[in-house]
Amino acid sequence: MEKINPMNYLFAAYVAIWIILALYLYSIHSREQSLREEVRRLRDLLEKKSRQ
Amino acid sequence: MDQRGQARLDEFLGALLFAGMILALYMAFLQAPREKTMGDLQRIFYFHVSSGITGLTAFAVNFAASVMYLVRRNRWWDHVALSSAELGVMFLSIVLVTGPIWAKPVWFVWWTWSPRLTSSLVLWMLYVAYLLVRNYVLDPDRRALVSAVFGIVAFVDAPIVWFSIRWWRDIHPAPMLETGGLSPSMRPAFYTCWAVFQILFIYLLRRRFFLEASRQEVEWLQRRADMVS
Amino acid sequence: MPAKVWTIFRKDLLIELRTKDSLNAMIFFGIVVLVIFNFALEAIRESIRAAVPGVLWVSFAFSGTLGLNRMFAAEKENSCLQGLLMVPVDRGIIYLGKMIAACVFMLLTEAVIFVFSLIFFNLTVWREIPYVVLVCLVGTLGFTAVGALLSAIAANTKMREVLLPLILFPVVLPILVNAVEATAIILNTVDYRQLKLPLTIMTVFTIVFATLAYLLFEYVLED
């Protein structure tokens, strides 16, 4: 069996940790973003209503 | 606390987290000594165990918040319960991914059905199930109630899962904290990583909490807007 | 209190005996699972006896889930749940009645599936039967103690049939693990003193979750 450098596993483990954290942060961020858009939409809607 | 105070606290926590994370990486990779038998591979341990403990903390928070919701019926506790369950699943995912990566070069297998591995996996499944329950109940009040019940059931189940498979052969290294077997020279690095992960948990919990709170507020506004138009 | 539990239980039993909706489905599904395992385990035909406990409990769990799914879904379909909720009894009583009904249906199913497994896997048992009955009884009580609660939870969601197994199996895992272990001890060893540990864990599980569900059931059915 080919001997794989154990350092590769160490590297892979930490890369995996950062990827999971980054994915989670991204998912929070994108949910926040879509909420902000929704708030903007609602505000526009209300302004339009009040002008009528 | 008012909104500006919250934002200030967020900034402070973010800065603390950033500095702490750099320190934790330094401690885990450079300060901690090289382990005798496993070599540098052992450095996975610092983040692996820290996220494990943080995941368990998150589930304990979920349990407490679920009980508090049933007692107080305040949506605030439901937001805490949801946020901590999601974070617990995230931290346990880190444990379940880094575990096999460590196991392959040391045990020569990715996975083995030892009690510790099996219980971690089942714990992860229990809280994924919790998130599924939340996903499929539409009414917010009902969702909060039902998921609080499930959160309590899941947390009570966890120790029983552990005891019912404990007699299986365990090759996982005994938790160093229970046996006091962690070499004193490795302790500073481990405690630093542990503390930084707790800060990470608090930071993410706050962020997820406010996301859920504003999401529900927006939903409420949407219903109001529908009524107006 | 026992009289009230009995009334709820009798209601479910009568409905089931008249329609036989779930019981037929449960039994048939259990047998289908046995047959499928027969193909899946083709490779280890020689040592099939070692795999029988696992096969049996997978089949019990699957057919049990089928029955649990129907339990509250049927009440919802005909708006019977509202009627049931108007009955002036503690919600915990409804839970106990439902749980005992589910347990009885599962035990009936298990008896039939067990007989079929004896035929399909060429097993001869006599002396073992009382022990198997005991393990089935404790295991099924534990399974339905959680199952009745989660079935009520799942009935209130938009994906009820799909959701129940997903949330039920991780929670009842201790029961399945120990029931398989205990059944394996009965079928494949002679030292029955080993049964004490799995039976104890299953009993603890059942008592803990039956109490918990009895207390929490009112929140699940709250309207």
Side-chain angles (χ1 to χ4, degrees):
Chain A
M1 204 180 79
E2 184 192 0
K3 186 103 176 83
I4 304 170
N5 186 356
M7 284 305 271
N8 289 348
Y9 287 100
L10 181 65
F11 180 71
Y14 277 87
V15 166
I17 293 173
W18 292 116
I19 288 177
I20 292 173
L21 276 175
L23 283 178
Y24 186 71
L25 275 172
Y26 176 74
S27 90
I28 287 189
H29 181 75
S30 63
R31 279 182 277 183
E32 282 171 347
Q33 207 64 37
S34 64
L35 265 186
R36 252 175 240 134
E37 259 158 47
E38 186 59 31
V39 169
R40 202 173 304 136
R41 194 188 69 85
L42 285 172
R43 193 184 293 144
D44 289 350
L45 192 79
L46 280 178
E47 264 170 31
K48 226 183 286 166
K49 283 275 159 201
S50 60
R51 248 182 279 133
Q52 275 170 11
Chain B
M1 212 188 298
D2 64 337
Q3 217 163 12
R4 261 188 57 207
Q6 297 281 13
R8 273 258 203 64
L9 185 56
D10 257 347
E11 270 170 28
F12 171 72
L13 278 173
L16 190 66
L17 186 62
F18 185 73
M21 204 46 109
I22 291 174
L23 180 66
L25 284 170
Y26 166 77
M27 296 293 268
F29 279 91
L30 299 170
Q31 188 271 339
R34 196 161 208 265
E35 215 259 354
K36 279 186 224 84
T37 47
M38 283 182 261
D40 285 320
L41 259 182
Q42 183 266 345
R43 295 181 196 280
I44 295 178
F45 158 90
Y46 298 108
F47 275 45
H48 172 78
V49 177
S50 301
S51 24
I53 295 174
T54 314
L56 292 183
T57 316
F59 295 144
V61 170
N62 173 271
F63 174 70
S66 299
V67 173
M68 284 311 287
Y69 180 78
L70 290 187
V71 178
R72 291 277 166 81
R73 297 299 175 90
N74 185 338
R75 206 55 81 64
W76 196 89
W77 290 108
D78 183 54
H79 299 340
V80 176
L82 163 67
S83 313
S84 53
E86 209 177 281
L87 284 171
V89 168
M90 200 267 300
F91 281 113
L92 220 60
S93 306
I94 292 183
V95 174
L96 290 171
V97 169
T98 50
I101 295 177
W102 174 86
K104 184 63 181 167
V106 178
W107 295 339
F108 304 107
V109 287
W110 291 112
W111 184 265
T112 164
W113 292 97
S114 87
R116 209 165 285 275
L117 274 69
T118 313
S119 329
S120 314
L121 182 62
V122 174
L123 197 60
W124 184 84
M125 292 191 327
L126 278 171
Y127 283 89
V128 170
Y130 172 90
L131 295 175
L132 278 177
V133 170
R134 294 197 69 102
N135 235 349
Y136 289 129
V137 187
L138 297 176
D139 178 60
D141 287 312
R142 157 125 273 144
R143 184 198 300 139
L145 265 181
V146 160
S147 51
V149 169
F150 193 82
I152 294 171
V153 167
F155 194 73
V156 172
D157 199 39
I160 307 185
V161 168
W162 167 242
F163 277 113
S164 54
I165 49 189
R166 156 181 89 118
W167 68 67
W168 291 1
R169 189 175 52 106
D170 202 349
I171 60 171
H172 189 280
M176 320 261 187
L177 300 168
E178 285 167 28
T179 55
L182 183 63
S183 147
S185 60
M186 293 175 179
R187 277 180 200 162
F190 172 66
Y191 290 135
T192 310
C193 292
W194 175 81
V196 169
F197 265 76
Q198 297 298 321
I199 299 172
L200 177 64
F201 172 60
I202 294 169
Y203 174 77
L204 289 175
L205 187 69
R206 284 173 51 83
R207 202 141 161 209
R208 187 64 185 85
F209 174 91
F210 288 121
L211 172 62
E212 184 61 17
S214 14
R215 200 186 63 78
Q216 298 221 351
E217 209 173 321
V218 167
E219 255 177 28
W220 183 79
L221 284 174
Q222 271 170 340
R223 275 198 296 274
R224 288 282 301 263
D226 284 348
M227 270 189 271
V228 172
S229 57
Chain C
M1 184 176 118
K4 290 176 185 166
V5 174
W6 172 254
T7 313
I8 305 266
F9 165 70
R10 208 180 72 107
K11 170 194 86 75
D12 274 22
L13 197 69
L14 278 180
I15 294 174
E16 186 54 44
L17 289 181
R18 283 195 191 139
T19 61
K20 300 199 186 57
D21 270 350
S22 14
L23 214 48
N24 285 340
M26 285 165 78
I27 292 172
F28 183 67
F29 188 51
I31 296 169
V32 168
V33 172
L34 284 187
V35 172
I36 289 183
F37 265 108
N38 199 49
F39 295 122
L41 300 177
E42 185 70 39
I44 56 157
R45 174 88 59 222
E46 306 307 309
S47 54
I48 197 94
R49 203 180 163 99
V52 168
V55 173
L56 270 180
W57 279 96
V58 168
S59 153
F60 294 169
F62 282 7
S63 66
T65 313
L66 211 59
L68 285 170
N69 247 333
R70 287 300 305 159
M71 213 166 59
F72 283 95
E75 299 270 12
K76 285 219 94 157
E77 273 160 24
N78 308 320
S79 310
C80 296
L81 200 58
Q82 275 90 338
L84 195 61
L85 292 181
M86 270 188 261
V87 178
V89 293
D90 196 14
R91 298 285 151 84
I93 303 282
I94 300 179
Y95 162 75
L96 288 179
K98 285 278 178 190
M99 177 208 156
I100 295 169
C103 189
V104 169
F105 296 151
M106 261 187 85
L107 284 170
L108 288 174
T109 315
E110 285 169 13
V112 179
I113 295 174
F114 186 67
V115 171
F116 271 90
S117 76
L118 296 183
I119 301 165
F120 286 164
F121 298 115
N122 287 311
L123 302 176
T124 317
V125 291
W126 289 115
R127 193 176 64 93
E128 291 92 336
I129 285 178
Y131 296 96
V132 171
V133 170
L134 179 68
V135 169
C136 283
L137 184 67
V138 180
T140 308
L141 275 171
F143 189 88
T144 49
V146 176
L149 177 73
L150 296 193
S151 158
I153 288 181
N156 282 309
T157 63
K158 53 176 175 172
M159 296 266 285
R160 44 181 110 120
E161 275 82 6
V162 183
L163 190 61
L164 181 63
L166 298 184
I167 62 176
L168 177 61
F169 288 149
V171 181
V172 294
L173 189 104
I175 284 289
L176 295 178
V177 169
N178 286 290
V180 170
E181 184 79 19
T183 314
I185 292 169
I186 295 168
L187 291 182
N188 301 326
T189 69
V190 283
D191 183 16
Y192 284 7
R193 274 171 307 175
Q194 289 175 41
L195 279 176
K196 213 178 134 191
L197 184 59
L199 279 177
T200 312
I201 295 178
M202 282 197 282
T203 313
V204 170
F205 181 97
T206 308
I207 293 171
V208 167
F209 279 104
T211 317
L212 202 60
Y214 177 80
L215 296 173
L216 294 178
F217 204 63
E218 58 171 308
Y219 299 114
V220 172
L221 280 191
E222 200 168 77
D223 35 6

